[in-house]
Structures are given as C-alpha cells and as structure tokens.
Amino acid sequence: MGTGEPTDRPLLEVRELKTHFFTRAGIVRAVNGVSFSVMPGETLGLVGESGSGKTITCLSILKLLPRGARLIAGQVLFEGEDLVSKPEADMEAIRGRRIGLILQNSMAALDPVFTIGTQVAEPLVVHQKLSWKAAWQRAVELLRMVRIGAPEIRVKHYPHELSGGMRQRASSAAAIGPVPSLLIADEPTTALDVTTQRQYLDLLKEIQAETGIAIIFVTHDMSIIGNLCDRIAVFYGGLVVEAGPKAQVFNQPSHPYTQALLRAIPILGQKVERLESIRGEPPNLGRLPAGCPFHPRCEYVTDICRRGDPPPVFQLQDARQVRCWLREDEHVGEPLRGPEPDQTLSREKRPSQA
Ligand code: SF4
C-alpha cells in the first residue's frame, strides 16, 4: 500500500531488463537493457517516440507480454521481490492489487457488457475481499473522487454511455480502488482533447497527494509531463538514454535526443514560425545500428558512436545519468552500466561538445 512515508529504498527497481520479440524476420530488441527506479510516492515519466520500448518495459514489469515477446534478462525488484521469477498465480495477486494499470484506450480497458459500477467494484471484491454491496458503495465514492458527476447514476451506466474523458476517469477509479503502491499509466491522455487532458493530469496529481501512490507515467509527449513528474527517463531504441530529476533534464538536457525532444515542445506565449522536428526516422528495433542507436540522427556523431555496443551509462555531476559519449569532462567516475568505453579510441575521437 502507498503510505507516502519517506524512505530511501526504491519501490521499484528495474535492472538491465531485456525483452525481445522472436519473429520469423528475426529478433526485435524492444527492450534492450533498461534500468531505472521509482521511489515511493514519486512520479517517474517515461518519455520517447512510439516504438522506443516504453510500453513493452511496463508490460514486462507486469509480465503481460504480447505473443512472441520474451523477457530474456534482467530483474524487476518490486517492494524487494523479483517479479521476473514469480509464477503467474503470484503475478495475478500483484496486478491490480499492488500495481495498478491504466491504458491509453479506455474503451478497450473497460468491458462493454458490464456497468461502470461492476468494473470499478470487481477489483475491490477480488483483491480486498469486500462484499459486492460494500464494493458498490466504494465504487460510487471512487467515481466521485475522480470527479464524475452524479456517481450514483453513472455507476449504473455502460462504458459507451460515457464520454472519452469520463471513461478514462472511470478506468482510473478501477485502477486506484484497491490502493496499489504503484500505478502505471500508459499514454492515458492520448485520446483526450487538450482541456480534458489537463483536467485528467490534475486529477492524477490529486489522487497521488491523497493516496501517496507512486506513478509511472508513459508518454510520447514531453510537453505534458512538466507539471506532473518528479523525475524523467528518456527512452530511445529500447534503452534509457537520459534519466534524472525533471528540472535538471528540462533545464540542462545532456543527450542530443533529449535536447531535440525539448526543442519540439511549443512554449506558452512564445511565437515560433515552426517547431523543430527531429530529423530522420526512429530506429527499427529489428535492425538496430551498431553503437549508439541515435547515431544516424545525431548531429554530433563521430567514429566512437558508430562502433560496437551502445554507449554505457555515465553519471553526470548532478543527479543525471546519460548514455552518450559527449561531454566526457562532466562524467563522474567509471561508467555505471553497459560495456566499458573502448580504450583503444583516443579522447580526440570522441564527439565534440553539444
Ligand atoms: S554524440 Fe554519439 S553517443 Fe551521443 S547521442 Fe550522438 S551519436 Fe549517440
């Protein structure tokens, strides 16, 4: 349960996670060595273009992988237990009860043949062993909490009778009902208009303040996580390429991909002729380039970036970590993860400063 009490121990630690798809055309390295942690009560934003590995990382945490995908390496430590080795029966007890999930498509998340009340109440019956009567009353309270008007009436409605924004609120009510300590929200605002989106993000913050729940918020849109997240992990090519506290990542982005994502955000009140788009195409995870996966699109690319394995994780002087050979003088100590830097490459061959 999310108590919100301060603690130094991460609630979730994902270590060197690898999930690959084994297809007739070859291996698709959807998640290729992802590491990050989430502290109790905080919000971590996973941001990156579609197909960068964010969603498959979340599905790997929950062991809800699509057909053809296999978790081949790494650890997922949740409240001190490694979920990777858990049998399915244990995972069923963890999903919903201890880790909640909100999906992008609320219409797909809610079953069209059951009322909203049944779908919000059911997790309470299953996970909290409430009677149906008590769970139904709690469902009304939860719908009120997510600011659905006339909840006593809405609770009897079917999903198609609600607007898109209301359905997303209802599926959030179902996810937070059993008071999980971690909520994974995968692109929950993508289908919503801008106003509804803002209201929904405010709602998530309120829920967090009230329950102390930790949130992993997945999005391709850097502009919407500014007010919501405490820390950010930027995904590219199945890897986290930069991670750190939100203010540091926003104010001093280190990785050229993070810089490009930020240049693509419209700034309120600032008139620009045209927002910058990131040149080139996202990588094909079935045919990743050698070296840094961003190198075909990077304006600072040099020899070392095109060779061998992706850059290792470097700690910067503040709390950020980055997978990039740039700014060697800002790296603190030895690389934290990944292959050692190629010692045969001289310092002069590293990219110049961005
Ligand atoms: S400078 Fe090299 S390592 Fe850094 S992002 Fe560009 S290509 Fe990748």
Side-chain angles (χ1 to χ4, degrees), residues 241 254-257 291-302 304-306 310-311 322-326 350-352 354:
V241 295
S254 178
H255 197 282
Y257 178 62
C292 172
F294 190 59
H295 88 244
R297 304 170 82 182
C298 182
E299 57 191 298
Y300 306 104
V301 61
T302 187
I304 191 173
C305 310
R306 299 190 182 96
V322 67
R323 275 186 188 267
C324 175
W325 296 109
L326 283 175
R350 292 190 174 198
S352 54

